[in-house]
Amino acid sequence: MTCPTQSRTRGAATASARRDARFDSGARTALSATSGTVLVLLIAACGGSAGSGPANSPDAPAGAEAQARSYPPNQISRAEIDERGANAHNAMQFLRRFRPAWLRSRGSNSLTSAGAMYAVVYIDNIRRPGGLSALFQVPLSEVRRMEFIGPGDATTRWGTGHQSGVILIVTGR
C-alpha cells in the first residue's frame, strides 16, 4: 500500500517533467527558427541567390541566359520579340507560342448567349474588327510592344464591352 504523501510527490515530479518537456520543445522550435534564419543569411551573403546558377555564369552559352530570363506575363517588349520570335511571322504566331493565356476564352457574354468571350484587339489604340483573327494581319517586324490589359483597366480606358480584356499592340507605324 502506498502512502498519500508518496503519491503526491510522484504526481508533482511527473507534472514538473511535463512542464520541462514543453519548455524544451519551445526552446527547440525557437532555436531551429533562429538557425534557419542564420542559414538563409549565410547563403545570401555567400552569393547563393536565385540568379547565380549555371545559366548566369560567364562560361554559359548566350542561349542559356535567354532561357533563364523571366518576362512579365502581361507585356511583351521589342527586345523579347527579337530574342524569342525568330520563327514567328505575325503577332498571332508569337502569342500562341509565348502567351497562349492571352488567347483563351474567359466565359460567356451573358446568361442568354452562350458564345465565348475573347479579348478585344486594339492596334495603336484603334479597335480592330474580327476579334483575335486581326492578330494574323500584324507582321511581327512592325510590333514595338504588346500588352494584355485586364477587363477592369480596359473598361476604364475604352469603356464597356471588354469583359475578357484587351490585347493592345503598339506598332512602329
Side-chain angles (χ1 to χ4, degrees):
M1 186 161 170
T2 62
C3 175
T5 311
Q6 289 175 339
S7 143
R8 271 188 255 140
T9 308
R10 207 176 298 144
T14 306
S16 175
R18 278 191 228 126
R19 240 189 344 266
D20 291 344
R22 280 188 296 222
F23 175 76
D24 288 345
S25 172
R28 272 186 257 131
T29 304
L31 181 62
S32 66
T34 304
S35 62
T37 304
V38 170
L39 181 63
V40 168
L41 291 173
L42 284 174
I43 290 171
C46 294
S49 65
S52 67
N56 293 333
S57 69
D59 300 329
E65 184 178 327
Q67 290 174 352
R69 185 177 302 137
S70 67
Y71 296 98
N74 291 338
Q75 292 181 358
I76 299 173
S77 66
R78 183 71 224 172
E80 182 181 355
I81 292 170
D82 290 341
E83 191 173 301
R84 300 171 96 184
N87 296 328
H89 301 291
N90 57 47
M92 179 61 94
Q93 290 175 342
F94 188 88
L95 289 177
R96 278 184 178 164
R97 189 170 301 142
F98 297 108
R99 300 294 197 289
W102 292 14
L103 305 173
R104 291 195 185 112
S105 169
R106 288 171 175 78
S108 63
N109 189 4
S110 69
L111 295 173
T112 57
S113 69
M117 290 297 299
Y118 295 96
V120 178
V121 176
Y122 279 80
I123 301 174
D124 294 326
N125 285 321
I126 299 171
R127 187 175 181 157
R128 297 297 174 168
L132 294 178
S133 62
L135 296 171
F136 284 109
Q137 307 303 318
V138 181
L140 203 55
S141 60
E142 292 183 9
V143 175
R144 278 194 199 165
R145 70 180 169 88
M146 291 187 263
E147 185 176 353
F148 180 81
I149 301 170
D153 292 336
T155 301
T156 301
R157 192 168 178 177
W158 290 287
T160 59
H162 301 93
Q163 297 90 347
S164 296
V166 167
I167 297 175
L168 174 65
I169 297 178
V170 178
T171 65
R173 298 183 215 167

